[in-house]
Amino acid sequence: MKLQEFQAKRIFGQFGIPVPLGEVAETPAEARAIAERLGGTVVIKSQVLVGGRGKAGGIKLAKSPDEAEQVAGRILGMDIKGLTVKKVLVDPAADIRKELYLGMVLDRGSRRVVIMASSEGGVDIEEVAAQTPEKIITAAVDPCLGLREYQARDLALNIGLPKEQLGKFAAICQGLYECYMKCDASLAEINPLAILGDNRLVALDGKMVLDDSALFRHADLAAMRDEDEETSEEREARANDLSYVKLDGEIGCMVNGAGLAMATMDIIKYYGGSPANFLDVGGGAKAEKVAAALRIILSDPNVKAVLLNIFGGITRCDEVARGILQALKQVPTQTPMVVRLVGTNYEEGRAILAEAKMETAETLAGAAQKAVAAARAQGRIA
Amino acid sequence: MSILVNRDTRLVVQGITGREGAFHTEQMIAYGTKVVAGVTPGKGGGWGVGNVPIFDSVQEAVSATGANTSIIYVPARFAPDAILEAADAGVGLIICITEGVPALDMLRVRAYLDRTSSRLVGPNCPGLITPGEAKVGIMPGHIHTRGSVGLVSRSGTLTYEVVYALTLRGIGQSTAVGIGGDPINGTSFVDVLRMFENDAETKQVVMIGEIGGADEERAAEFIGTHMTKPVTAFIAGQTAPPGKRMGHAGAIISGGKGTAADKIAALDAVGVRVASHPGEIAEMVAALIR
């Protein structure tokens, strides 16, 4: 789960990291009031979970409360990469002397939380990594020892920070590490971490991604989820404990198991089609869950055919078949479907589906070819 | 021979009285696995499915029954503790089926396990099976047959798909190992490949990877420098978009890294034959036998 900038910075602040004293506005009038309170020039930043907000015109300066109201009026409601801006953060404008980068991720290879720092902040860090990798300095943290102060000081020295900043930088590193571990983050990033004209170090931007598997022990963080950032299909999928990712193609897929679901998408592509989604119904899927999955798939107007690929193990094919019939009663459809059932109770499953007159297939390759052909035929009719 | 589990496996089931634990214990016993004990704290002294004695702790179960392998079916929030308990009781092989264990918990658990002699397989995995000897997991046993192909995979049902295709062609398996789809796990591709290379029964290996991380790239390096047996591979997620988690917590292309194309190129470079779809794997394996 991704957090918005204002949420991430609020949390950083709780761990002792200096952040600007801005507030969030949902209307131009609120933005004006915040600008009045802050006094001086403010920066108005759209709160949407995509990169490149600045380039899209979603971050602007305002020199007066009047201007803040106008600018907020333009940014609120703006569309940035398909997302509508519903909130802006109004921060005091900063006198930036130098922009640094500080980030933490879980490195799978070394099985450590790795801290990355760079003197080249304020820009896309992936570009820095690709073009001048020597400008990114890293340190790995032993999970038993935690981040040691000398490691943070070494980072500061290696990115060429002036000596008077060492202590402040080390404290920010410690705060971010503590924040990362306490919140069960998978990414925490300050970009830029700015050196201001008065020599303060301040986190001007913040990004956090949380480990979904750990949200059960962070009710406060889980409550920060912005449902506006999800499509209604994604919401329904989450409510039904389905793993769903929408894609741009025309063949809807329902599969049990993530690896098999990806392989099913791949084979659709191999035979010249294109998948409309990734959908894993999970192990032991019951009829209601299958029905919800089918409703989600059929609600996508791009879907011209549906491929159901179920390899029964814990999942029983007869349960899945009943779910399909149940869903078809709820959402009658003309969309052609190809069903492949293998494994536990497949004979019963196939018998149940015989009455629905669906196309069936024995092999995955066969099922994919039939689905691609069905989608093409639909395309011609439409 | 085979790897990791066999006739000598004496299994303790952690979470034997839960719905999943009870169901799969019955299935494992029906397959012929020696399930010698179950553990559910507070229910010690009772009997579980298949008349398996239940203990309050793994230590008690090991002392009383000589269990040498553990399988874990407890909910995600209790799984890290269950793994550590098994390791501290001296269980040599621990298989964690549980899905959704927080990554930072696994970080600490793995760091601790590295200081013990226990091996963890998983979490979020289907387990492993040596056909005809022991099934320690949740895979459907009947699709497997004994033979000389070793399988290792990050995925569950995709592995069943490949095993089933092999069995239909009359090609048996030595051991099939699911290492799981999480970012931090106990056993890597390289660990299993090394075991298959040293196993006399295994003549060739099938490796099923997916997007995310660099475990497949490390496997490619190992195959290029240490393996004499042929390897056939498949990488799932060739059509997956970057930045989207495809079900498994570990299956995500982030920062342009972990793409299927990178992994296929790395495997290709060391002479691994990479199937373009799962249906091709059995054909490629059969061609090597002929």
Side-chain angles (χ1 to χ4, degrees):
Chain A
M1 176 181 139
K2 289 181 189 170
L3 295 182
Q4 298 279 12
E5 175 196 357
F6 76 93
Q7 296 168 326
K9 289 203 296 202
R10 247 178 229 168
I11 295 169
F12 290 169
Q14 287 161 12
F15 287 89
I17 298 168
V19 290
L21 300 167
E23 285 176 66
V24 174
E26 294 186 24
T27 65
E30 282 173 21
R32 179 193 183 93
I34 297 166
E36 272 168 2
R37 253 198 314 277
L38 292 172
T41 305
V42 294
V43 57
I44 301 196
K45 308 175 85 176
S46 52
Q47 299 295 292
V48 279
L49 295 174
V50 288
R53 288 174 300 164
K55 276 183 198 147
I59 300 178
K60 293 268 186 240
L61 284 171
K63 293 201 177 76
S64 65
D66 276 350
E67 203 184 341
E69 186 169 0
Q70 286 162 21
V71 171
R74 281 200 298 276
I75 293 178
L76 285 164
M78 187 186 258
D79 180 279
I80 299 180
K81 295 184 183 170
L83 294 171
T84 307
V85 181
K86 295 195 170 154
K87 289 187 182 81
V88 292
L89 175 63
V90 184
D91 267 353
D95 168 25
I96 301 169
R97 219 173 62 205
K98 169 98 187 133
E99 294 184 319
L100 311 170
Y101 171 91
L102 184 65
M104 288 183 197
V105 289
L106 180 59
D107 180 57
R108 299 160 62 155
S110 63
R111 295 184 296 272
R112 293 285 184 269
V113 173
V114 169
I115 308 185
M116 299 167 293
S118 175
S119 57
E120 309 301 302
V123 289
D124 185 356
I125 199 66
E126 276 161 23
E127 239 161 68
V128 179
Q131 283 165 18
T132 48
E134 71 280 1
K135 292 202 166 150
I136 298 180
I137 311 294
T138 63
V141 184
D142 184 306
C144 302
L145 296 174
L147 175 65
R148 311 307 301 187
E149 218 172 298
Y150 78 87
Q151 292 182 296
R153 284 198 306 268
D154 278 355
L155 284 175
L157 291 171
N158 284 319
I159 62 169
L161 217 57
K163 287 194 179 16
E164 70 265 22
Q165 302 284 6
L166 285 190
K168 279 182 272 180
F169 182 84
I172 290 172
C173 284
Q174 299 275 12
L176 194 63
Y177 180 73
E178 199 190 333
C179 169
Y180 188 98
M181 300 306 285
K182 288 255 169 75
C183 296
D184 274 295
S186 49
L187 172 102
E189 195 175 74
I190 304 175
N191 188 23
L193 174 64
I195 306 179
L196 303 187
D198 58 6
N199 264 336
R200 279 186 304 142
L201 270 176
V202 179
L204 292 188
D205 200 347
K207 191 170 165 186
M208 265 183 102
V209 181
L210 305 175
D211 178 1
D212 291 330
S213 297
L215 286 177
F216 70 82
R217 58 185 171 210
H218 300 289
D220 51 337
L221 298 175
M224 290 184 179
R225 187 188 295 277
D226 191 343
E227 296 214 334
D228 292 340
E229 295 279 343
E230 288 179 314
T231 63
S232 58
E233 290 79 24
E234 284 167 342
R235 251 198 310 281
E236 187 176 358
R238 200 158 48 78
N240 284 286
D241 200 19
L242 297 163
S243 184
Y244 170 80
V245 177
K246 185 172 173 355
L247 303 168
D248 302 327
E250 77 283 351
I251 299 175
C253 316
M254 187 201 306
V255 188
N256 65 326
L260 189 57
M262 281 190 274
T264 303
M265 288 159 47
D266 294 346
I267 200 166
I268 286 171
K269 185 91 171 180
Y270 180 81
Y271 285 111
S274 113
N277 64 277
F278 164 93
L279 194 153
D280 173 11
V281 286
K286 292 275 184 280
E288 296 74 38
K289 211 165 152 181
V290 172
L294 204 52
R295 273 199 309 276
I296 292 167
I297 291 170
L298 291 171
S299 69
D300 178 351
N302 293 334
V303 168
K304 295 200 175 72
V306 179
L307 170 54
L308 295 104
N309 182 24
I310 302 294
F311 203 109
I314 333 174
T315 308
R316 288 163 40 197
C317 291
D318 54 329
E319 275 276 0
V320 173
R322 270 190 282 276
I324 295 169
L325 291 189
Q326 189 179 320
L328 289 180
K329 272 180 205 138
Q330 293 166 6
V331 197
T333 178
Q334 296 303 311
T335 311
M337 296 198 200
V338 181
V339 184
R340 176 185 180 242
L341 298 176
V342 194
T344 312
N345 295 357
Y346 76 95
E347 290 100 337
E348 293 90 323
R350 289 182 196 178
I352 290 166
L353 287 184
E355 62 171 277
K357 296 193 182 68
M358 281 178 183
E359 181 113 55
T360 57
E362 290 289 326
T363 65
L364 178 51
Q369 282 166 296
K370 282 181 179 176
V372 171
R376 287 215 178 113
Q378 283 288 307
R380 277 197 294 275
I381 295 161
Chain B
M1 274 207 349
S2 56
I3 66 167
L4 293 167
V5 294
N6 53 38
R7 267 183 206 98
D8 300 326
T9 296
R10 296 176 64 78
L11 189 68
V12 50
V13 179
Q14 292 177 256
I16 193 168
T17 51
R19 197 172 57 95
E20 296 276 302
F23 174 77
H24 288 292
T25 299
E26 273 187 320
Q27 299 281 312
M28 290 189 291
I29 293 170
Y31 192 79
T33 310
K34 288 196 192 80
V35 180
V36 296
V39 171
T40 297
K43 292 189 181 167
W47 300 87
V49 286
N51 275 331
V52 173
I54 299 179
F55 298 87
D56 286 317
S57 74
V58 181
Q59 187 67 65
E60 282 178 17
V62 169
S63 304
T65 67
N68 55 18
T69 303
S70 152
I71 189 162
I72 295 172
Y73 291 103
V74 306
R77 62 186 74 192
F78 308 119
D81 203 56
I83 297 168
L84 295 172
E85 184 184 352
D88 271 353
V91 176
L93 177 64
I94 304 161
I95 292 101
C96 183
I97 304 299
T98 309
E99 185 179 349
V101 181
L104 293 183
D105 287 356
M106 280 314 301
L107 186 75
R108 298 184 188 97
V109 166
R110 178 64 203 267
Y112 181 78
L113 290 181
D114 286 347
R115 296 192 269 136
T116 72
S117 55
S118 297
R119 167 174 297 286
L120 170 70
V121 176
N124 187 19
C125 78
L128 59 165
I129 181 169
T130 294
E133 294 197 32
K135 168 176 121 91
V136 181
I138 58 173
M139 66 288 286
H142 68 272
I143 61 171
H144 298 78
T145 42
R146 190 57 180 268
S148 62
V149 178
L151 271 102
V152 59
S153 171
R154 271 169 74 184
S155 154
T157 47
L158 180 54
T159 315
Y160 312 162
E161 177 84 41
V162 174
V163 165
Y164 187 58
L166 289 173
T167 293
L168 287 181
R169 280 178 174 258
I171 303 170
Q173 307 91 42
S174 51
T175 303
V177 185
I179 60 172
D182 277 4
I184 308 272
N185 59 14
T187 293
S188 68
F189 278 130
V190 170
D191 295 333
V192 181
L193 289 172
R194 186 180 286 121
M195 289 183 249
F196 279 140
E197 175 70 13
N198 295 330
D199 172 44
E201 187 184 346
T202 302
K203 302 293 182 216
Q204 57 166 309
V205 178
V206 172
M207 176 180 130
I208 301 164
E210 61 189 32
I211 54 161
D215 207 19
E216 290 80 0
E217 283 86 337
R218 277 189 288 277
E221 200 187 324
F222 177 82
I223 292 165
T225 52
H226 289 81
M227 276 194 86
T228 57
K229 296 177 183 175
V231 180
T232 304
F234 174 72
I235 305 294
Q238 298 169 37
T239 48
K244 296 278 186 187
R245 172 182 155 173
M246 308 304 275
H248 291 161
I252 182 164
I253 299 168
S254 56
K257 295 213 182 76
T259 67
D262 289 348
K263 293 172 188 296
I264 291 167
L267 290 163
D268 209 42
V270 294
V272 172
R273 281 134 313 129
V274 184
S276 45
H277 64 81
E280 261 181 24
I281 299 172
E283 278 174 45
M284 294 166 99
V285 169
L288 281 171
I289 293 172
R290 263 184 248 116

